[in-house]
Amino acid sequence: MDPAIVLFGLGIGLLVGMTGMGGGSLMTPLLILIFGTNPSTAIGTDIFYSAITKMFGSWRHLKLGTVNLELVRWLAFGSVPAAVAGVALISLVEQQVSEDRLNELLYAVLGGTLLMVGIITLTRALILRSLIDERERFDVEKRHKVAAVVIGATTGFVIGITSAGSGTVIAILLIAVYRLSPKKVVGTDIVHAAVLLSAAAIAHWVGGNIDFGLAGNILVGSIPGVIIGASLSGKAPQGLIRVALGLVLIGSGVVTILKGDPNVWPIAAGIAAIGLGGVLYAPHYMNKRRLRQLEQDDAQVEAMARTLPVD
């Protein structure tokens, strides 16, 4: 048993339990940069340990009643097949290029993704909270279901490749798109992540990308950490934690980028920014379009009323 890995697992478990964020985004770069783990093994092992950790967190949040299960289901319809496709892509590339070249590509993609996740986390902590009116519950309509499937598919593919974002990115989207309150965001995010990461972990297991001994060391610390963190989720200084997490993710992204292909990471960061930006903007665009249509319908009704003869 490695005490350092157990301690890192405990700290990240606490963070995941309190905020729903930081598991894959932090553990993968830690395994690569500090413990020297092969990138593909670090990603697979991280996804496997995260799946188990978030199962325990899910149990706690379900007991606390902080989960929107209908939203979890629609997110999973998009994320599970997309995550498996992302893992399959890694296996396909691994067959076509050398191990060193694969590592360069994974460093670049992971670094670019971490950079964008860090920026988005800071945006959430410093800007979104003051701009969005949060709500405890809402009726899940057709447009919410479509948005959930798109969000799940977009983020699931990235998570399958890099392991980053299962908590951070989806939590931000749950606030920006659905305006959920913090405790509902954390609970819904963790339960969905448990489903998503379980599917991705099975795919990585088949691909031979999991170090079970390493995962066991992490779990010794992360399981009690996430249970304690879930109990503290309503009391933790969420804003301060998110600012610190955003800064750490940006730093991890920059360091990881330096180990990867310099021509690939800007592409990965750009695609992540465009994709996430599109998902964030789409609901606002649809709402504006619906309001314009309602205004046009009202104008037509008024025009018809003016043309009708008065009895």
Side-chain angles (χ1 to χ4, degrees):
M1 186 178 294
D2 188 329
I5 295 178
V6 173
L7 186 61
F8 276 117
L10 175 63
I12 291 178
L14 283 168
L15 183 62
V16 170
M18 286 189 292
T19 69
M21 304 188 303
S25 300
L26 287 180
M27 185 54 77
T28 293
L30 281 174
L31 291 176
I32 293 172
L33 301 175
I34 296 179
F35 297 103
T37 307
N38 177 277
S40 58
T41 302
I43 291 169
T45 302
D46 183 15
I47 285 177
F48 174 76
Y49 115 83
S50 295
I52 297 177
T53 299
K54 292 196 175 184
M55 285 179 190
F56 282 87
S58 297
W59 164 76
R60 182 61 180 163
H61 278 284
L62 286 168
K63 287 191 67 175
L64 293 172
T66 57
V67 183
N68 187 318
L69 286 173
E70 188 171 6
L71 204 52
V72 168
R73 183 171 72 250
W74 287 100
L75 285 166
F77 284 154
S79 65
V80 169
V84 173
V87 178
L89 179 61
I90 292 179
S91 299
L92 181 62
V93 173
E94 194 171 14
Q95 296 171 8
Q96 305 298 321
V97 301
S98 66
E99 182 178 350
D100 289 341
R101 179 57 180 162
L102 176 64
N103 289 344
E104 283 185 351
L105 293 173
L106 288 176
Y107 281 131
V109 173
L110 177 61
T113 304
L114 286 173
L115 189 61
M116 291 312 306
V117 170
I119 292 171
I120 292 170
T121 302
L122 279 180
T123 301
R124 174 190 177 183
L126 300 175
I127 299 174
L128 287 181
R129 179 66 182 271
S130 62
L131 295 179
I132 296 174
D133 295 326
E134 296 167 344
R135 53 191 177 183
E136 287 291 326
R137 55 181 299 164
F138 66 100
D139 294 326
V140 180
E141 301 173 2
K142 182 178 180 180
R143 59 193 175 92
H144 297 132
K145 296 174 183 178
V146 172
V149 173
V150 173
I151 290 170
T154 305
T155 55
F157 185 73
V158 174
I159 291 161
I161 295 175
T162 67
S163 81
S166 65
T168 308
V169 174
I170 293 178
I172 291 167
L173 293 171
L174 287 174
I175 286 181
V177 177
Y178 299 104
R179 298 187 285 119
L180 290 180
S181 64
K183 64 181 181 180
K184 284 287 186 179
V185 168
V186 175
T188 302
D189 184 24
I190 286 181
V191 173
H192 167 255
V195 176
L196 163 61
L197 294 172
S198 296
I202 292 171
H204 274 291
W205 190 350
V206 173
N209 298 327
I210 299 176
D211 183 332
F212 291 102
L214 179 60
N217 275 271
I218 300 170
L219 287 168
V220 169
S222 69
I223 289 175
V226 75
I227 294 173
I228 296 170
S231 300
L232 299 175
S233 60
K235 305 173 184 177
Q238 301 284 322
L240 179 62
I241 291 173
R242 286 165 184 160
V243 170
L245 177 59
L247 293 173
V248 170
L249 290 174
I250 291 172
S252 298
V254 171
V255 173
T256 307
I257 283 168
L258 296 176
K259 298 171 70 69
D261 188 323
N263 298 317
V264 173
W265 78 260
I267 299 173
I271 291 173
I274 293 170
L276 293 172
V279 171
L280 281 169
Y281 180 73
H284 301 290
Y285 171 77
M286 295 300 293
N287 284 334
K288 287 181 179 179
R289 185 175 176 181
R290 187 175 57 175
L291 289 173
R292 283 198 303 267
Q293 185 63 49
L294 289 173
E295 289 173 357
Q296 290 174 1
D297 292 343
D298 290 341
Q300 289 177 358
V301 171
E302 290 179 4
M304 290 178 63
R306 285 195 298 268
T307 59
L308 290 174
V310 180
D311 293 335

